[in-house]
Amino acid sequence: MDDPSTFQVSFSHVQLFVDHLDELSSYQRFQDRLNAFYQHHASGACDDVHSKKQAWEQLSGMISPPPFVSHGRDIVKQFVAGLGFRITRAGPQRLLVTSKDPQGVQFIITARNTEQNNSSSLFTNEKYDRFLQTHDGHLGIGVLGFAVNDIRGILQRYQEKHPKLIDSYQNIGQNVKVLEVYAYYRDSNKEQPDEGTILRFIGSSSDDAFYEATGFEKVKSEFHQPTYAAYFDHWVSNVHSRTDFLDTLHDTLGFTPKVDFNAGVVAAGEAQIESTVTGNTSLFQTTNPATALRDQSQVYLPINNALSDVGHVHGFLDQLGQGVQHIASRVESLVDFVQQANDHRLVLGEGFTFLQIPRSYYGILTSRDLEMEGGIDAATARKLLYALRTEDILSKDGAVDLTTDRDRIRAIIEPCISENESTAMLSEKKESLLECICLSRYRNLFLLLGSHVSEATYLAIVRNQILVDIQGEDLLYQIFTSNILQKQPKDEAPFLEFIQRVCSERHDENGCPVAIKPGCGGFGIRNFLTLFLSIEVSKAMRALSDAQAVSDTEAVEYCQAVVDCFTSQLNESDPILTAISNAMTEEGFCKEKIHALHLKGGNDGELEMWKKKGEEAEERKNAGNLALMECSARYNEQMKAIRQDRSKPTAL
């Protein structure tokens, strides 16, 4: 039989389980109102957020809607209003929601079917009830769907290697076959499947053939302008045994590990996890960025497991059981995509919020910065910082307001430094200090990207709290939504990730463009820890806000200490992570050179040189991992001390 590495596997769809769906006609009326609103807005009739909000409230009949909260929302309306997606097909108690390119992301959203009419065998109430029962009543992402070239071959691999994971194999229509298997085992002995998550393999001539065979009918869908296409990039699971899932995917599909995030490296306070990115080896190559964006043949499945009994991954597994943590999708311009999503939420009162990222991730202003870059003494620096705070340009944690114009900052600088300065020196220092203050808003990003990005783009990245990573000459932009399908605010739940991969335009020795590799920009080793920390920081910030609202002084003090601890860990980890990322990039480049030399028969001297360079890069990577583990261990103890201090009885 075929070796599993020869199977062609690509992303197809994701199925979400919700507790309620409105009538299709209701959603269509909602979409029509949105299209009418944005057609009106595009004409320039409304050009500020307040005016747009008033116009939408009048059009929708929702005057003074309640404050936005991320839990208890209708995910269909979130997709439609927040991201500009649309319903493109529908069946009994199920909808297909896509971006403007139907070959991109495909979200099947299903609720319990009370009528059971025309129900496909893939969307029965039995499957719906089984998902909720396995996940203790929580909603979530229950099916990961893949298009495959040899469904019988994959069935045979499961029959030979993991027969207990097989749920069903059926012919559901002309030339449409579907294999459904359970993704994980419940126990380390691999005796019982975990029935909470399904991998669905589809053998058919097209997506349309699959949807028609399962009772989906096309519905009219009009996308307002501008709106953005999105394409699946990777799907992430939280599991009890990462190695068991890795083994299963290797045995059946030939997937192999691509990236490992080591134990102790990914840690936020006391919370620690391990993670491995596994996937197929796609043969797809192109030099066209637009074609690379649309490709769905490179499948990556990162897998997390918890190493401690605190933190998000542990909480997810404890509350929901094993399952899909998040779905990551690519877009062409993440800055534009997120700016629009944030604008839509503010105007429409519907959509998504995103994880909070401390401003220190991007850059803050310190007295030392002013002294070193502006050429002033410590006393003058303190005077200037005080003046900036008094004018509400500088926050207490050192973040400079993103909306302040340069003339206003100049006006504050001059009286602070005018004493005993010549006119020429005053002008020079004023401009140096102005640049220092403005640069502080995104200083850490500038150290990564330099002048390749405009100031306007830098500010948009900071304003929308986008994470940035660099691997060699490739860039990776990332952002994570707050939890979706969340019934109560403290429930664990899955979320969405959106990314942009910016692949470098390199040329080979002959001057020809180098083919764009799938996954260029990596998986953000810097941002991976930042995500983990940001989940915990966001929780602590919400708890802090709740405590402040009810004037709970003790809880405020505790939550502020937690926020400060996680933020300090993020700040201290950032340069270490950059060093690790740089070393990993160089190590990978050396391996590529060695592989190329082997293929064309390079001389021993060249091979030895690249081997030595690779070994040196590996040593730097290992040293960085050790430094990061030491850093994580310190903050583990700090967080433990904060928690233990709170548990001490208050003196009477």
Side-chain angles (χ1 to χ4, degrees), residues 122 127 165-168 178-182 198-200:
L122 297 183
K127 291 177 181 288
L165 293 179
I166 297 173
D167 180 32
S168 66
V178 176
L179 167 65
E180 290 195 331
V181 301
Y182 300 114
I198 289 287
L199 305 183
R200 178 180 291 152

Side-chain angles (χ1 to χ4, degrees), residues 36-49 51-52 55 225-226:
F37 172 75
Y38 279 104
Q39 184 178 8
H40 181 65
H41 163 56
S43 69
C46 311
D47 43 17
D48 66 82
V49 169
S51 297
K52 293 176 195 172
Q225 297 297 328

Side-chain angles (χ1 to χ4, degrees), residues 589-636:
F589 181 71
C590 291
K591 288 179 179 179
E592 287 181 10
K593 285 290 188 182
I594 292 168
H595 179 67
L597 286 169
H598 278 306
L599 290 178
K600 68 178 185 180
N603 65 58
D604 292 342
E606 279 187 287
L607 279 170
E608 196 58 39
M609 179 190 71
W610 288 113
K611 283 181 181 178
K612 184 176 180 181
K613 285 180 176 289
E615 289 168 357
E616 291 171 351
E618 184 181 16
E619 288 177 6
R620 292 197 300 276
K621 178 189 73 175
N622 292 337
N625 284 339
L626 180 60
L628 198 57
M629 283 190 277
E630 291 172 350
C631 174
S632 297
R634 284 201 312 279
Y635 284 98
N636 182 320

Side-chain angles (χ1 to χ4, degrees), residues 98-375:
T98 73
S99 69
K100 69 176 183 180
D101 184 347
Q103 301 306 308
V105 294
Q106 300 176 42
F107 291 95
I108 297 176
I109 302 171
T110 53
R112 199 171 199 280
N113 186 4
T114 56
E115 298 179 6
Q116 282 290 286
N117 58 319
N118 301 317
S119 182
S120 164
S121 58
L122 297 183
F123 303 103
T124 63
N125 282 341
E126 179 186 1
K127 291 177 181 288
Y128 179 90
D129 294 340
R130 185 176 65 189
F131 174 85
L132 264 66
Q133 182 179 2
T134 306
H135 293 282
D136 198 26
H138 293 275
L139 309 174
I141 301 165
V143 179
L144 301 178
F146 304 90
V148 298
N149 69 323
D150 183 4
I151 193 166
R152 291 190 64 82
I154 293 174
L155 171 62
Q156 189 173 345
R157 296 296 299 187
Y158 269 96
Q159 288 172 332
E160 290 179 355
K161 299 286 188 176
H162 298 279
K164 293 180 180 178
L165 293 179
I166 297 173
D167 180 32
S168 66
Y169 175 72
Q170 52 189 309
N171 187 341
I172 61 172
Q174 187 175 9
N175 298 320
V176 179
K177 296 179 174 62
V178 176
L179 167 65
E180 290 195 331
V181 301
Y182 300 114
Y184 328 116
Y185 286 103
R186 288 179 58 186
D187 56 340
S188 58
N189 295 326
K190 300 182 180 179
E191 292 295 324
Q192 289 184 304
D194 184 318
E195 298 183 344
T197 303
I198 289 287
L199 305 183
R200 178 180 291 152
F201 300 103
I202 304 165
S204 69
S205 57
S206 66
D207 287 332
D208 284 344
F210 167 73
Y211 289 122
E212 288 168 8
T214 50
F216 282 89
E217 296 182 358
K218 287 185 177 181
V219 298
K220 181 181 177 182
S221 54
E222 180 182 343
F223 292 83
H224 66 71
Q225 297 297 328
T227 188
Y228 303 97
Y231 305 87
F232 288 130
D233 189 86
H234 58 275
W235 298 339
V236 185
S237 291
N238 288 338
V239 300
H240 294 306
S241 175
R242 180 175 49 89
T243 54
D244 282 354
F245 193 27
L246 287 170
D247 289 344
T248 299
L249 293 172
H250 177 69
D251 292 342
T252 55
L253 303 176
F255 283 13
T256 55
K258 309 298 180 182
V259 182
D260 275 304
F261 296 94
N262 300 340
V265 170
V266 187
E270 296 175 272
Q272 292 191 350
I273 70 169
E274 287 178 311
S275 185
T276 297
V277 180
T278 191
N280 64 340
T281 302
S282 172
L283 301 178
F284 175 85
Q285 286 194 347
T286 183
T287 57
N288 186 329
T291 305
L293 172 69
R294 293 191 295 268
D295 175 55
Q296 297 285 261
S297 68
Q298 177 58 69
V299 172
Y300 289 120
L301 300 180
I303 307 165
N304 305 324
N305 64 259
L307 294 175
S308 62
D309 59 1
V310 293
H312 158 70
V313 174
H314 168 78
F316 186 103
L317 291 167
D318 188 50
Q319 274 193 33
L320 278 67
Q322 301 183 107
V324 179
Q325 181 206 50
H326 76 267
I327 300 297
S329 304
R330 296 189 301 272
V331 296
E332 184 175 12
S333 172
L334 189 62
V335 171
D336 292 338
F337 182 84
V338 176
Q339 183 67 65
Q340 185 180 77
N342 281 324
D343 291 346
H344 284 196
R345 186 187 66 254
L346 291 174
V347 171
L348 307 174
E350 186 58 88
F352 297 93
T353 55
F354 299 92
L355 288 187
Q356 295 174 283
I357 309 297
R359 277 288 300 275
S360 55
Y361 171 83
Y362 303 100
I364 56 174
L365 182 65
T366 67
S367 176
R368 180 175 175 80
D369 293 333
L370 294 172
E371 294 169 45
M372 298 293 291
E373 298 173 30

Side-chain angles (χ1 to χ4, degrees), residues 469-472 521 524-526 576-587 621:
D469 209 343
I470 185 167
Q471 188 176 77
I525 185 170
R526 296 174 68 256
I576 304 174
L577 286 161
T578 299
I580 294 171
S581 180
N582 290 341
M584 288 177 68
T585 300
E586 186 173 344
E587 183 184 19
K621 178 189 73 175

